[in-house]
Amino acid sequence: GQNIDQPTEMTATEGAIVQINCTYQTSGFNGLFWYQQHAGEAPTFLSYNVLDGLEEKGRFSSFLSRSKGYSYLLLKELQMKDSASYLCAVMDSNYQLIWGAGTKLIIKP
Amino acid sequence: DGGITQSPKYLFRKEGQNVTLSCEQNLNHDAMYWYRQDPGQGLRLIYYSQIVNDFQKGDIAEGYSVSREKKESFPLTVTSAQTNPTAFYLCASSIIRDSGANVLTFGAGSRLTVL
């Protein structure tokens, strides 16, 4: 079966750095996505990785290792508005998205 | 501004009733999707459509129906056959690429509660 694993919840301090991990087992691989979702709102696109390595976009970076079936989202200089759920999704060989359950990130002052 | 509009944001339904959730987009996207989101689970695909007058079942299509009569609109009907319809429903759209980089744009969601 296909599976995406993420931690259910993480807590971090304002101004700090946090890393949210995502491991996957899917039928083929055509890219990995990270989305941010504030409670009761629409998910919004953060990043897309299809090749190994680190993609940096401002305070957010995303890393991919295809051989290990592993990705992480790195958030720097955390702000209170970063409190949200972070969703990892993998596109399989049929171009279907498989979604993780999401990681709820709590930022404390 | 371009985007996706879902309505209503909150909906209450009595058992045995059908309800229809609206989804309209002005992004000129060819593909549209309906997802269901439940606590502790990943998004699950209900139906999707890549062209007008055509749509495909997703992983959990039973108890739901859709139509795609216009490119901009993709309404979802939750029928009385859906045994556990209380959930947060998300509509999304995307352009269609040959590569996997199909970024989804989501609507704000509709929360359906069965009384």
Side-chain angles (χ1 to χ4, degrees):
Chain A
Q2 308 202 87
N3 193 51
I4 310 284
D5 284 318
Q6 307 178 232
T8 302
E9 187 175 295
M10 299 181 70
T11 302
T13 304
E14 190 177 14
I17 299 173
V18 70
Q19 177 176 311
I20 302 174
N21 295 327
C22 172
T23 58
Y24 62 89
Q25 292 176 307
T26 57
S27 303
F29 179 84
N30 278 303
L32 185 143
F33 297 81
W34 284 98
Y35 284 80
Q36 180 191 59
Q37 184 180 25
H38 287 97
E41 297 183 10
T44 55
F45 170 74
L46 289 177
S47 67
Y48 170 73
N49 294 67
V50 66
L51 299 176
D52 289 350
L54 187 68
E55 296 274 346
E56 297 187 76
K57 197 184 291 186
R59 293 190 299 115
F60 292 9
S61 303
S62 57
F63 171 83
L64 175 67
S65 170
R66 287 172 297 171
S67 63
K68 295 182 179 178
Y70 168 70
S71 172
Y72 67 73
L73 182 69
L74 191 71
L75 291 74
K76 302 177 184 176
E77 301 170 16
L78 286 170
Q79 302 176 9
M80 297 303 293
K81 67 179 182 180
D82 297 329
S83 292
S85 289
Y86 291 85
L87 313 180
C88 174
V90 172
M91 186 161 282
D92 69 12
S93 57
N94 294 320
Y95 294 95
Q96 298 298 311
L97 274 175
I98 312 301
W99 294 83
T103 298
K104 183 178 180 181
L105 178 63
I106 299 168
I107 309 296
K108 294 186 175 180
Chain B
D1 287 337
I4 299 183
T5 302
Q6 286 188 241
S7 63
K9 190 166 179 63
Y10 298 96
L11 184 61
F12 297 89
R13 188 194 95 173
K14 294 181 180 178
E15 286 192 17
Q17 285 182 334
N18 292 356
V19 293
T20 297
L21 308 181
S22 169
C23 179
E24 303 277 334
Q25 56 102 356
N26 61 3
L27 299 166
N28 200 32
H29 286 171
D30 286 308
M32 296 189 74
Y33 313 80
W34 274 105
Y35 285 95
R36 171 177 171 144
Q37 187 173 37
D38 293 283
Q41 297 188 43
L43 298 182
R44 292 184 290 168
L45 183 64
I46 305 172
Y47 270 99
Y48 66 101
S49 168
Q50 295 186 310
I51 194 170
V52 173
N53 292 324
D54 188 48
F55 46 83
Q56 283 75 42
K57 293 182 179 180
D59 301 320
I60 56 165
E62 187 173 347
Y64 300 98
S65 66
V66 292
S67 62
R68 187 89 185 274
E69 296 177 1
K70 299 185 301 181
K71 185 176 182 178
E72 301 79 18
S73 178
F74 192 42
L76 174 74
T77 297
V78 184
T79 75
S80 57
Q82 171 48 238
T83 55
N84 184 23
T86 294
F88 190 52
Y89 290 88
L90 286 162
C91 179
S93 69
S94 74
I95 63 174
I96 299 174
R97 298 177 189 269
D98 291 337
S99 70
N102 288 354
V103 175
L104 298 180
T105 300
F106 285 88
S110 294
R111 185 167 297 281
L112 173 62
T113 302
V114 174
L115 302 174

